[in-house]
Amino acid sequence: MNIERLRKQITKHEGIEYKLYRCTSNKLTIGVGRNIEDRGISHDTAMQMLDEDIDICINELQQTVSYWDDLPERVQEALVNLCFNMGIKRLMAFKKTFGYLREGMFDKAADELLDSRYANQVGQRAIDVAHMIREGAED
């Protein structure tokens, strides 16, 4: 069977969408007619999507945070986690946190993060990420 020919034909008939939409059967669908409601995605697909999203976050942070390369690895990981969760635009609104990070004041940056509406919304995740930031002083 010619899989490449089949892919082209199905793509021609289904089209390709990069965001969720409702198909003619009113099912949530994405990509080349992937019925998310009934079929879902595989673990491998979920991990591929996660890897792509992590790469996007790293790239956005590298472009936005001028001192990115100077930050300890654990702090970088914390910022990627935050960017993944809230997006770069919302993350960059944490001006005081970033001010402390720039100065290497990781405990104060973590405290500032925890003293936010975000921390109240996500609970343990914020505590975990703040701990990661505090670990930056140990790197």
Side-chain angles (χ1 to χ4, degrees), residues 73-106:
E73 185 175 283
R74 286 298 280 163
V75 175
Q76 289 180 345
E77 291 170 6
L79 292 176
V80 171
N81 189 314
L82 290 165
C83 184
F84 180 91
N85 185 232
M86 68 175 78
I88 191 70
K89 199 177 241 184
R90 186 167 171 221
L91 175 58
M92 295 313 298
F94 284 73
K95 303 264 186 234
K96 289 181 183 178
T97 299
F98 277 100
Y100 289 131
L101 290 174
R102 183 182 298 112
E103 299 301 319
M105 301 170 76
F106 302 116

Side-chain angles (χ1 to χ4, degrees), residues 45-113:
T45 298
M47 292 300 101
Q48 178 185 352
M49 292 169 67
L50 173 61
D51 288 345
E52 288 178 13
D53 288 340
I54 288 171
D55 288 345
I56 289 167
C57 289
I58 290 169
N59 185 48
E60 289 173 337
L61 287 160
Q62 286 173 330
Q63 291 179 8
T64 307
V65 180
S66 62
Y67 50 92
W68 172 258
D69 291 332
D70 299 328
L71 292 171
E73 185 175 283
R74 286 298 280 163
V75 175
Q76 289 180 345
E77 291 170 6
L79 292 176
V80 171
N81 189 314
L82 290 165
C83 184
F84 180 91
N85 185 232
M86 68 175 78
I88 191 70
K89 199 177 241 184
R90 186 167 171 221
L91 175 58
M92 295 313 298
F94 284 73
K95 303 264 186 234
K96 289 181 183 178
T97 299
F98 277 100
Y100 289 131
L101 290 174
R102 183 182 298 112
E103 299 301 319
M105 301 170 76
F106 302 116
D107 285 334
K108 288 191 178 216
D111 290 343
E112 190 64 33
L113 178 68

